[in-house]
Amino acid sequence: MKSNLLTILPLFLGGILFSQSQADSIQFKNISDEILTNGVAYENLRDLTKNIGHRLSGSEAYEKSTDWAVQKLKEAGADKVWKEEVTVPVWVRGKESLQIKTENGAWKSLKMLSLGNSEGTKGKNLEAEIIFVKNKQDFDQLSAEQVKGKIVFFNYAFNPKFISTGQAYGDAGMYRRSAASWAGKKGAKAVIIRSLSSAVDDVPHTGMMRYDADDQAKIPAVAIGPKSADELEKTLKTQKAFAKLNSNCGMQGEKKSYSVIGEITGNKDKNVIVVGGHLDSWDVGEGAHDDGAGIVQSIEILRTFKKLGLKNNHTIRVVCFANEENGVRGGNTYADNIQKKNEKHIFGIESDGGGFTPRGIALLMAPEQRKQIQSWRSLFLPYGAYNFELQYAGTDIEPMEKLGVPLAELVPDSQRYFEIHHSEEDTFDKVNHRELHLGAVVMGQLIYMIDKNW
Amino acid sequence: MKSNLLTILPLFLGGILFSQSQADSIQFKNISDEILTNGVAYENLRDLTKNIGHRLSGSEAYEKSTDWAVQKLKEAGADKVWKEEVTVPVWVRGKESLQIKTENGAWKSLKMLSLGNSEGTKGKNLEAEIIFVKNKQDFDQLSAEQVKGKIVFFNYAFNPKFISTGQAYGDAGMYRRSAASWAGKKGAKAVIIRSLSSAVDDVPHTGMMRYDADDQAKIPAVAIGPKSADELEKTLKTQKAFAKLNSNCGMQGEKKSYSVIGEITGNKDKNVIVVGGHLDSWDVGEGAHDDGAGIVQSIEILRTFKKLGLKNNHTIRVVCFANEENGVRGGNTYADNIQKKNEKHIFGIESDGGGFTPRGIALLMAPEQRKQIQSWRSLFLPYGAYNFELQYAGTDIEPMEKLGVPLAELVPDSQRYFEIHHSEEDTFDKVNHRELHLGAVVMGQLIYMIDKNW
């Protein structure tokens, strides 16, 4: 009798497991079929990028985009849509130019972009000799005397050996973030950095910099394209060169703004699953991959749950975060409000790596939760998602980490992202409709599993 | 004593296995670093596409490209370079136009391309009523009387639900290949097909068609873009419409041409490992992804083995095949010559799915060989190749299957390929340098392993 039970039990359990996995597999295909056949994410992105365009937080275009997001969340079938107040910094670029010349040469204009949050020259010409350093170590060798009154040029390139360009971005990131503070403390007048880019072109890329709290100098920081950077390095190895910078950028206080939120109510409880991206972008290009893609994918998931009648147990909430690019105020405010409202969040996922073909999902959570999600890998494989090993989460949802919320981020293929990121090149035509929609498919499938199992 | 041995042996073997896998992992990184840092595939592709451009087999441009390939193989360090004679069909497009009108409307031009190998109208206007069918089943319902004298329009779309667009291509492929034969046998005057495309644009795509051996009609076959196809279907659902086709395309006999071959000699034996792509392209666009990418990747692998001094055991041979697109004469001739020369081939791999980010390698070989390669998966994972489950090989190397040669094909991400494939859109600017080079990395790594282990 006993031995019979021991024989039958695994078969019985096996049967349940098999049919459960089969049922999940069918829902995975339903989600995929719906998005690949009827998905509106691509057309929504066209609308956002072409009719609103770039939308730096604090700008009029950003405010327009909040109304756009409200409208799109309603169209997608959200049960409830609202705006969450966020105080954002207002940084304005204004006119800017950079010229360089050798000792006996003529002034020559370079394509450039001031870095976000940088102070400018207040419309006056700032002229000085350029000194070149390859990296931080080289810079640290220079005395304050050598740096004082100069414009320091950092030409630290993306390391092509990293397979993930995100790693190369991480590796080079401190030059954009901190070079102005390093150089300012030694008395430099300004810094020029090589753009954080994997491209072999001459497109300048902006992005956030910051001044150290104890940094009184606040010298201007600008980025030039990779080709200009290599040419300037070559020039400076044989002769002196000078730069003339004129810019009007700077901080203009703070402003009341909004993140936009829409949700479909849970059928079992009001515990929240967040899926989101950031609605703001830099003030160049169209903010298509960064992060229009994450916004339209998140709205697409809500639309799909509603359309398929998936009857979510928990509340599925789309958050279009304000001010990721130069402050993360949207993400911080959202996490603060969770605590104030005493809401329970069981999971958060963000898409902010571009609308490229998905390769997996990064998981920032307890080991047993990671293991559970990894055990679902075979369900995701037919959709091209195989990598569940990375451990990080989107910048906007990261503030929820301290509240113990399990977090994740979509991992799209990274090869093309840093050619267009934060530049004039981040436009709608660089987005492929199937790649964009597949990203929504994979996130929607994971949300389906978590909603059902957690 | 015995039990001690049993304890020590696995540890000892484990040690060997561990250090072996470590050594392989180091070589994998050497290959990757070399190609991602010093790779010339991208610049070679720029040269091929911009200075020669499209190169249909039998054309003057194709002949130029054979000289180009000889030169590039020599530059890459091949020990031996030669041309292999191949007799190829000569198909010429000439001028062509397609106009449509409704009963009381005016003639309107449509963007179109005659299908490769199709006969044309010999420069005369072919005018007839258009009848619409969605698919083969619908067409089979029509009697010869209903079809006779008409132009049959097949609007079978790519199925967006397939995750691999290659599956959608396979599914829709028979319309391009065979629609003219089906319709010709029922007395149609011509066929118009919806282009084999995953795009939401109006770009027409060409590609090979064939007339059945018993098909005496040989009616013209042309493709129109997806948007035109949808509009035409809509029109034909409510009213009659007519087409006026004028084209000069047709077969112009055969010609002596060449595949181009270069190799680095094996240090242990002369057994051959083939890596290749096809040098010909369709006569539109620049043949960048199809298959300039495969050509420059293959040459890159030879360059890398030479540069790194990898001391290959077997001969590594790059084959730039002639005439894949409209005849596969290069591939067939190559396989025939293996037999004539009594050469031993131990492995063949092709890249002909575009220069996109790699996802794996398809394996067409005995189960135990597949299993061995699959056991190396963890070495490939850091480079983004995880899928070793598919079972097929490139069209040019497939003729070696009957000789028992284990075969493979690079599996790049497929989402963008069929938007540009066989069309004016297949141009150099659609290729990303890192994605292209990563494809060469993964193939180079597999060749390294096979050279060492087989």
Side-chain angles (χ1 to χ4, degrees):
Chain A
M1 203 41 204
K2 221 176 179 181
S3 72
N4 271 358
L5 243 183
L6 282 175
T7 316
I8 291 162
L9 198 62
L11 282 175
F12 178 68
L13 285 173
I16 288 175
L17 288 172
F18 177 67
S19 63
Q20 189 47 59
S21 152
Q22 252 192 336
D24 289 338
S25 164
I26 287 167
Q27 287 295 24
F28 269 48
K29 182 148 169 55
N30 289 340
I31 291 168
S32 178
D33 285 356
E34 171 58 25
I35 295 176
L36 292 178
T37 308
N38 303 315
V40 299
Y42 186 69
E43 287 307 318
N44 278 347
L45 187 61
R46 186 198 302 274
D47 190 32
L48 176 64
T49 54
K50 294 304 176 189
N51 294 327
I52 296 177
H54 62 67
R55 46 199 181 278
L56 184 60
S57 80
S59 69
E60 206 180 309
Y62 180 78
E63 297 315 316
K64 266 191 207 170
S65 75
T66 61
D67 293 336
W68 175 93
V70 166
Q71 176 65 23
K72 291 298 166 186
L73 281 162
K74 285 181 182 168
E75 283 172 22
D79 297 326
K80 205 178 144 195
V81 181
W82 69 98
K83 291 184 177 183
E84 178 171 83
E85 195 178 309
V86 180
T87 303
V88 300
V90 179
W91 180 80
V92 176
R93 180 177 303 279
K95 278 181 70 174
E96 55 188 16
S97 68
L98 176 67
Q99 293 171 284
I100 58 162
K101 74 176 190 79
T102 53
E103 210 144 14
N104 302 311
W107 288 109
K108 192 189 135 193
S109 285
L110 287 195
K111 281 193 275 183
M112 56 77 80
L113 284 172
S114 289
L115 296 181
N117 292 2
S118 171
E119 294 301 313
T121 71
K122 299 183 170 42
K124 292 176 191 152
N125 284 339
L126 184 163
E127 204 176 312
E129 188 186 341
I130 309 169
I131 53 171
F132 154 72
V133 289
K134 196 77 195 169
N135 53 36
K136 177 74 158 61
Q137 291 84 329
D138 286 1
F139 177 75
D140 289 342
Q141 303 297 312
L142 298 178
S143 65
E145 207 176 331
Q146 287 171 296
V147 172
K148 195 171 161 30
K150 304 289 198 316
I151 293 175
V152 185
F153 165 49
F154 290 85
N155 192 21
Y156 188 82
F158 255 42
N159 183 344
K161 294 179 183 176
F162 290 115
I163 301 305
S164 160
T165 60
Q167 278 186 274
Y169 180 68
D171 175 61
M174 65 175 174
Y175 293 93
R176 191 188 72 201
R177 220 162 37 237
S178 306
S181 288
W182 303 334
K185 281 172 197 152
K186 285 189 181 172
K189 282 188 162 177
V191 292
I192 300 172
I193 67 154
R194 179 195 185 95
S195 287
L196 268 53
S197 168
S198 57
V200 285
D201 59 17
D202 202 32
V203 175
H205 298 236
T206 188
M208 188 164 92
M209 58 80 65
R210 58 155 194 248
Y211 298 106
D212 289 351
D214 62 342
D215 186 351
Q216 300 303 308
K218 298 198 172 173
I219 63 170
V222 305
I224 59 175
K227 276 191 184 168
S228 287
D230 287 337
E231 279 165 29
L232 184 54
E233 172 175 334
K234 210 173 144 191
T235 302
L236 287 165
K237 278 181 168 164
T238 59
Q239 56 193 310
K240 283 191 175 187
F242 305 84
K244 192 197 294 181
L245 173 66
N246 194 313
S247 59
N248 290 282
C249 58
M251 282 293 182
Q252 300 187 355
E254 297 189 330
K255 190 182 162 181
K256 190 162 82 177
S257 185
Y258 302 93
S259 294
V260 179
I261 302 175
E263 66 183 29
I264 43 177
T265 316
N267 287 287
K268 215 183 79 187
D269 61 41
K270 303 289 174 287
N271 292 346
V272 179
I273 291 173
V274 161
V275 54
H278 62 86
L279 189 53
D280 65 309
S281 76
W282 278 108
D283 60 335
V284 290
E286 297 170 355
H289 277 291
D290 187 16
D291 182 27
I295 292 294
V296 297
Q297 287 171 329
S298 299
I299 296 171
E300 181 67 21
I301 289 163
L302 188 149
R303 188 194 70 77
T304 300
F305 268 74
K306 200 79 184 181
K307 170 85 177 290
L308 295 179
L310 287 180
K311 300 220 171 300
N312 43 301
N313 290 325
H314 314 295
T315 290
I316 296 177
R317 181 182 288 177
V318 173
V319 186
C320 307
F321 291 95
N323 183 235
E324 190 268 352
E325 293 295 5
N326 65 333
V328 201
R329 300 282 185 93
N332 283 314
T333 302
Y334 185 81
D336 289 348
N337 285 342
I338 290 180
Q339 289 183 288
K340 283 181 197 158
K341 296 181 191 166
N342 208 14
E343 284 179 339
K344 187 171 178 201
H345 277 57
I346 61 165
F347 180 62
I349 183 168
E350 181 161 12
S351 165
D352 187 21
F356 303 99
T357 186
R359 283 190 174 268
I361 293 175
L363 305 170
L364 189 66
M365 54 187 67
E368 62 273 21
Q369 292 167 321
R370 288 173 54 80
K371 270 189 200 142
Q372 187 183 13
I373 293 177
Q374 286 165 347
S375 77
W376 302 331
R377 194 191 315 255
S378 62
L379 285 165
F380 288 97
L381 264 179
Y383 303 91
Y386 63 96
N387 185 350
F388 296 85
E389 309 306 321
L390 300 167
Q391 300 192 40
Y392 59 80
T395 305
D396 296 295
I397 58 173
E398 237 180 11
M400 288 191 264
E401 192 189 358
K402 62 179 183 292
L403 309 179
V405 182
L407 299 173
E409 183 164 4
L410 181 68
V411 180
D413 194 276
S414 73
Q415 300 310 318
R416 289 172 282 150
Y417 192 44
F418 292 102
E419 299 199 348
I420 52 109
H421 177 253
H422 295 180
S423 82
E424 288 290 355
E425 296 295 310
D426 185 5
T427 50
F428 179 67
D429 58 296
K430 307 297 191 311
V431 180
N432 177 276
H433 68 118
R434 284 185 57 88
E435 295 189 348
L436 178 75
H437 284 183
L438 273 173
V441 166
V442 169
M443 286 199 295
Q445 290 166 335
L446 181 58
I447 288 170
Y448 167 79
M449 289 300 281
I450 283 176
D451 179 64
K452 222 183 56 152
N453 292 285
W454 283 12
Chain B
M1 203 41 201
K2 221 176 181 180
S3 72
N4 272 358
L5 244 183
L6 282 175
T7 316
I8 292 162
L9 199 62
L11 284 174
F12 179 67
L13 284 173
I16 289 175
L17 288 172
F18 177 68
S19 63
Q20 189 46 60
S21 151
Q22 254 193 334
D24 288 338
S25 165
I26 288 166
Q27 287 294 25
F28 269 49
K29 181 147 169 54
N30 289 340
I31 291 168
S32 178
D33 285 357
E34 171 58 25
I35 294 176
L36 292 178
T37 309
N38 304 315
V40 299
Y42 186 69
E43 288 307 318
N44 278 347
L45 186 62
R46 188 199 300 276
D47 191 32
L48 176 64
T49 53
K50 295 303 177 190
N51 295 328
I52 296 177
H54 63 66
R55 46 200 181 279
L56 184 60
S57 82
S59 69
E60 204 180 311
Y62 181 78
E63 297 316 315
K64 266 192 207 170
S65 76
T66 61
D67 293 335
W68 176 91
V70 166
Q71 176 64 23
K72 291 297 166 187
L73 281 161
K74 284 181 182 167
E75 283 173 22
D79 297 327
K80 206 177 143 194
V81 181
W82 70 99
K83 291 183 177 183
E84 178 170 83
E85 194 178 310
V86 181
T87 303
V88 300
V90 179
W91 181 79
V92 176
R93 180 177 303 278
K95 277 180 71 175
E96 56 189 16
S97 67
L98 175 67
Q99 294 171 283
I100 57 162
K101 74 175 190 79
T102 53
E103 209 143 16
N104 302 313
W107 287 111
K108 190 190 137 195
S109 285
L110 287 195
K111 282 193 272 184
M112 56 79 79
L113 283 172
S114 289
L115 296 182
N117 290 3
S118 171
E119 292 301 314
T121 71
K122 297 182 172 41
K124 292 176 192 154
N125 284 340
L126 185 164
E127 204 176 313
E129 189 186 340
I130 309 170
I131 53 171
F132 154 72
V133 289
K134 197 78 196 167
N135 53 37
K136 177 75 158 63
Q137 291 85 330
D138 286 359
F139 177 75
D140 288 343
Q141 302 297 313
L142 298 178
S143 65
E145 206 175 331
Q146 287 172 295
V147 172
K148 195 171 161 32
K150 304 288 199 316
I151 293 176
V152 184
F153 165 49
F154 290 85
N155 192 22
Y156 188 83
F158 254 43
N159 184 343
K161 294 179 183 176
F162 290 116
I163 302 304
S164 160
T165 60
Q167 277 185 275
Y169 181 67
D171 175 61
M174 65 174 175
Y175 293 93
R176 191 187 73 201
R177 219 163 38 239
S178 305
S181 288
W182 303 334
K185 280 172 198 153
K186 285 188 181 173
K189 282 187 160 178
V191 292
I192 300 172
I193 67 154
R194 179 196 185 94
S195 287
L196 267 53
S197 168
S198 57
V200 285
D201 59 17
D202 202 33
V203 174
H205 298 236
T206 189
M208 187 164 91
M209 58 80 66
R210 58 157 193 247
Y211 298 107
D212 288 352
D214 61 343
D215 187 351
Q216 300 303 308
K218 298 198 173 176
I219 63 172
V222 306
I224 59 175
K227 276 191 185 168
S228 287
D230 287 337
E231 280 165 28
L232 184 55
E233 172 176 334
K234 210 174 144 192
T235 302
L236 286 166
K237 278 182 168 163
T238 59
Q239 56 192 308
K240 284 191 173 186
F242 304 84
K244 193 197 292 184
L245 174 65
N246 194 313
S247 59
N248 291 281
C249 57
M251 281 294 182
Q252 300 186 358
E254 295 190 332
K255 190 181 163 182
K256 190 162 82 175
S257 185
Y258 302 93
S259 294
V260 180
I261 303 175
E263 65 183 29
I264 44 179
T265 316
N267 287 286
K268 215 182 78 185
D269 61 41
K270 303 290 174 285
N271 292 346
V272 180
I273 291 173
V274 162
V275 54
H278 62 86
L279 190 53
D280 65 310
S281 76
W282 278 107
D283 61 335
V284 289
E286 297 170 357
H289 277 290
D290 187 15
D291 182 26
I295 292 294
V296 298
Q297 287 171 329
S298 299
I299 296 171
E300 180 67 21
I301 289 163
L302 189 149
R303 188 194 70 77
T304 301
F305 269 74
K306 201 79 185 178
K307 169 84 178 291
L308 295 179
L310 287 181
K311 300 220 170 299
N312 43 302
N313 290 325
H314 315 295
T315 290
I316 296 176
R317 180 181 288 177
V318 173
V319 186
C320 308
F321 292 96
N323 183 234
E324 189 267 353
E325 292 294 7
N326 65 332
V328 200
R329 300 283 185 92
N332 283 313
T333 303
Y334 185 81
D336 289 348
N337 285 342
I338 289 180
Q339 287 183 290
K340 284 182 195 156
K341 295 182 192 164
N342 208 14
E343 284 179 339
K344 188 172 178 200
H345 278 57
I346 61 165
F347 180 62
I349 183 167
E350 180 161 12
S351 164
D352 186 21
F356 303 99
T357 186
R359 284 191 172 265
I361 292 175
L363 305 171
L364 189 67
M365 54 188 65
E368 61 274 20
Q369 292 167 321
R370 288 171 54 80
K371 269 188 202 145
Q372 187 183 12
I373 292 177
Q374 286 165 347
S375 77
W376 302 332
R377 195 192 312 255
S378 62
L379 286 165
F380 288 97
L381 264 179
Y383 303 91
Y386 63 96
N387 186 351
F388 296 85
E389 308 306 321
L390 300 167
Q391 300 193 40
Y392 59 80
T395 305
D396 295 295
I397 59 174
E398 237 180 10
M400 288 191 263
E401 192 189 358
K402 61 179 182 292
L403 309 178
V405 182
L407 300 173
E409 183 164 5
L410 180 67
V411 180
D413 193 277
S414 72
Q415 300 310 319
R416 288 172 282 150
Y417 193 44
F418 291 103
E419 299 198 347
I420 53 110
H421 176 255
H422 294 182
S423 83
E424 288 289 355
E425 296 294 311
D426 186 6
T427 50
F428 178 68
D429 58 295
K430 307 298 191 311
V431 180
N432 177 276
H433 69 120
R434 284 184 58 87
E435 295 190 348
L436 178 76
H437 285 181
L438 272 174
V441 166
V442 168
M443 286 199 295
Q445 290 166 336
L446 180 59
I447 288 169
Y448 167 79
M449 289 300 282
I450 283 176
D451 179 65
K452 222 182 56 147
N453 292 286
W454 285 12

